Amino acid sequence: MVVVLPVMALMTTPYFKLSILIPILVVIGVISLAKRQDINVFFYIIIFLIPFGEYRKIGPLNIPWLLAMLVLAVAALDIVQGKLSIKALKGKIWYYLFPMLFVNLIATGLSPYPETAIDAMKNWLAAYLFIALMLLLITERGVFKDLPFWIVVSVSLGSALSVMGVYLGIGYDLFTDEGRGQGGAPDPNNMCMMIIFVIPLVVHYLLYAETFIARIGATFLLLLNLLAVLSTDSRSGMLVAALIFGLLIIIHIARIKARYIRLILPVILIGLLALPMVIPQKTLIRMQTLTASYQDKSVQRRGAYIDVGIRAFMEQPIIGYGPFTFQHIFAESRESRKFKREGVRGEELRQAHNTYLEMLVGSGILGLGLFLGVILQAQLNLHRARKGLAKINSAEYSHLILSFQVAFLGALIYLAVFSDPYHKFLLVMLPLSELALRYTHRLQANFNQQTQAD
């Protein structure tokens, strides 16, 4: 009844798409409460909802925002009662995040497009709140067990919806955008980035599966997510996914033992043979036009974005025009008139399709430098955590951190063709890197004490 009644109620409203999430959220709650996890279950629901941007709103109400306010209230109460320590917020990433916020505030104050810049600043403030909550609430178990598990589950579910819509025609109008798979994400490119992020984590579960059934399940999820990349019809996404998958093979070649080869090689062979049949014909045609940019409007537009962005940067190199204002600069450029489609409203307002260019134009060299600085600091934190875990012979945890590093790298590469400086999986990696290093130091201290005691 807990599941059936809310589903039936939602099916009679304009928000019927939300009904698909009800059973899943109930399962998350039951599992979390059964395990008596230290973290507030509502924060895991926020994490789970990341791939479902199309389903997260009921009218003007944004479900993750409501949950975040609830979690924030609980966290504040726990701090007052001494159950949480404000010291948990410490981290080197703030050395870059606070100056970056200050730079963006100045850029917003000076922006010729204040309305857009202010809206972008609201997103940045929400991003900082998300980071702070992760630092406060995610436990050691959360870093090494729960968080990666729920990320894999949620993205794989989105991939399943995308594959269902594109290849099976089930929920075609719900889970596709003009024939491109988007699952529950706002658009196919967003979905593709999340799949790229999750592939290294799925490979981790495959390599550390303890039973044959678990290996079969992980293999199925890997194939599902790879197929979902194809369903998004994102050429750049396919290239990045292929690059990351190749990197994973190189990194883990020593661990692929005989038992894995007997399972993986036939699957890969079948996959390669089936590839021409599952790639949509229009995607094959689009892939072929990459070598002939003069025939491909999309490639030409991306070149135009770079030209416009460089000119804008040269005019405002230090502080920029305000966050996420590239779209207005492009709309006023001569290039926008070249690519405008008659009868399409708002066509001239186009993002840079490049997060780094977006940051450069929006907040200048200062903003981009600090943005790259926090990314570098996060990768450095993960590297130190992985090395520390290897020293205490925690191979599985060390491998998980390596998987997060590759996932992070895949997301960073894809952000060169996708505009979203506050994508949730990018934000997840910043506090996660601090937490991984923090808990690694704790595990090292426990290991050293146990060694001395022995």
Side-chain angles (χ1 to χ4, degrees):
M1 296 295 288
V2 174
V3 175
V4 174
L5 290 179
V7 168
M8 291 178 63
L10 281 170
M11 290 297 287
T12 63
T13 73
Y15 314 110
F16 62 92
K17 290 193 290 185
L18 285 167
S19 62
I20 194 172
L21 298 177
I22 297 297
I24 301 160
L25 297 180
V26 170
V27 170
I28 293 176
V30 170
I31 292 176
S32 299
L33 293 174
K35 291 183 176 180
R36 299 180 182 274
Q37 293 172 347
D38 295 329
I39 189 172
N40 191 308
V41 63
F42 295 112
F43 191 78
Y44 274 138
I45 295 177
I46 294 173
I47 295 293
F48 177 85
L49 289 174
I50 290 174
F52 301 100
E54 283 294 283
Y55 305 155
R56 294 194 302 236
K57 289 186 177 180
I58 301 178
L61 299 178
N62 190 311
I63 297 174
W65 269 94
L66 294 177
L67 292 174
M69 294 300 102
L70 176 62
V71 172
L72 180 62
V74 173
L77 184 61
D78 285 347
I79 289 173
V80 172
Q81 294 178 345
K83 296 178 181 179
L84 284 177
S85 173
I86 200 72
K87 293 180 180 178
L89 290 172
K90 288 184 178 179
K92 292 184 178 179
I93 56 173
W94 296 115
Y95 297 158
Y96 301 92
L97 288 175
F98 280 134
M100 188 172 75
L101 183 65
F102 182 66
V103 168
N104 276 283
L105 282 170
I106 295 176
T108 298
L110 300 176
S111 176
Y113 316 101
E115 187 174 342
T116 297
I118 290 171
D119 284 342
M121 282 307 303
K122 293 177 183 176
N123 287 326
W124 274 123
L125 292 174
Y128 280 51
L129 173 62
F130 179 84
I131 291 170
L133 286 175
M134 268 198 69
L135 286 171
L136 277 172
L137 298 175
I138 293 287
T139 62
E140 181 181 320
R141 176 188 169 84
V143 170
F144 297 113
K145 297 288 185 182
D146 299 323
L147 189 65
F149 174 78
W150 287 118
I151 288 175
V152 168
V153 169
S154 61
V155 175
S156 296
L157 177 59
S159 293
L161 298 179
S162 184
V163 169
M164 285 166 51
V166 172
Y167 295 109
L168 302 179
I170 300 174
Y172 182 85
D173 294 332
L174 294 177
F175 308 136
T176 69
D177 179 14
E178 297 182 352
R180 299 178 61 191
Q182 69 179 66
D187 61 76
N189 293 328
N190 198 317
M191 185 72 227
C192 192
M193 175 179 167
M194 290 186 282
I195 300 169
I196 290 170
F197 182 87
V198 88
I199 286 174
L201 302 180
V202 176
V203 170
H204 167 78
Y205 283 119
L206 174 60
L207 294 179
Y208 277 88
E210 296 180 354
T211 65
F212 179 75
I213 297 298
R215 288 197 292 273
I216 292 291
T219 302
F220 170 77
L221 289 181
L222 180 59
L223 292 176
L224 173 67
N225 282 287
L226 291 174
L227 186 60
V229 171
L230 299 179
S231 76
T232 65
D233 198 19
S234 170
R235 294 172 296 181
S236 52
M238 294 177 201
L239 293 174
V240 176
L243 174 64
I244 292 301
F245 193 67
L247 179 61
L248 289 169
I249 292 175
I250 294 172
I251 290 174
H252 304 310
I253 191 67
R255 186 169 176 79
I256 302 177
K257 300 177 181 179
R259 61 174 181 168
Y260 294 113
I261 291 176
R262 287 198 299 270
L263 174 65
I264 294 172
L265 287 185
V267 171
I268 292 176
L269 181 60
I270 293 171
L272 291 174
L273 292 174
L275 198 58
M277 293 183 286
V278 297
I279 298 181
Q281 187 64 29
K282 64 177 182 178
T283 302
L284 291 173
I285 295 173
R286 291 184 70 207
M287 291 292 286
Q288 292 170 2
T289 61
L290 281 175
T291 58
S293 59
Y294 61 89
Q295 297 179 352
D296 193 292
K297 286 288 186 181
S298 177
V299 175
Q300 292 176 17
R301 277 197 304 267
R302 289 179 184 272
Y305 300 152
I306 295 174
D307 292 339
V308 172
I310 291 176
R311 289 204 306 268
F313 166 67
M314 296 300 291
E315 292 173 3
Q316 292 279 5
I318 305 300
I319 207 71
Y321 288 85
F324 241 71
T325 56
F326 174 91
Q327 55 189 312
H328 297 288
I329 297 169
F330 183 80
E332 297 169 0
S333 71
R334 59 180 180 270
E335 285 85 352
S336 70
R337 294 187 291 273
K338 177 180 176 182
F339 295 104
K340 179 174 173 56
R341 291 179 293 181
E342 294 298 329
V344 181
R345 189 176 180 181
E347 174 71 11
E348 66 277 5
L349 289 173
R350 287 183 168 272
Q351 297 174 359
H353 286 71
N354 183 322
T355 294
Y356 310 105
L357 183 62
E358 201 83 55
M359 291 291 297
L360 187 64
V361 172
S363 52
I365 194 67
L366 290 178
L368 177 62
L370 291 165
F371 182 69
L372 295 177
V374 74
I375 288 171
L376 182 61
Q377 182 62 59
Q379 283 285 18
L380 185 60
N381 289 344
L382 292 170
H383 175 75
R384 289 173 175 169
R386 180 167 61 86
K387 292 296 184 182
L389 291 167
K391 288 181 180 178
I392 60 175
N393 301 319
S394 184
E396 183 175 355
Y397 284 0
S398 178
H399 182 273
L400 175 63
I401 297 303
L402 176 60
S403 299
F404 269 121
Q405 283 185 279
V406 178
F408 194 17
L409 176 63
L412 293 174
I413 295 173
Y414 194 72
L415 285 176
V417 293
F418 182 61
S419 290
D420 196 350
Y422 21 71
H423 193 284
K424 288 295 189 298
F425 283 157
L426 172 64
L427 299 179
V428 161
M429 293 309 304
L430 303 183
L432 180 67
S433 72
E434 293 286 352
L435 293 166
L437 186 58
R438 180 185 303 172
Y439 294 133
T440 295
H441 289 157
R442 185 181 299 178
L443 289 170
Q444 284 179 308
N446 293 338
F447 178 82
N448 292 335
Q449 288 179 359
Q450 185 175 357
T451 302
Q452 292 174 358
D454 293 342

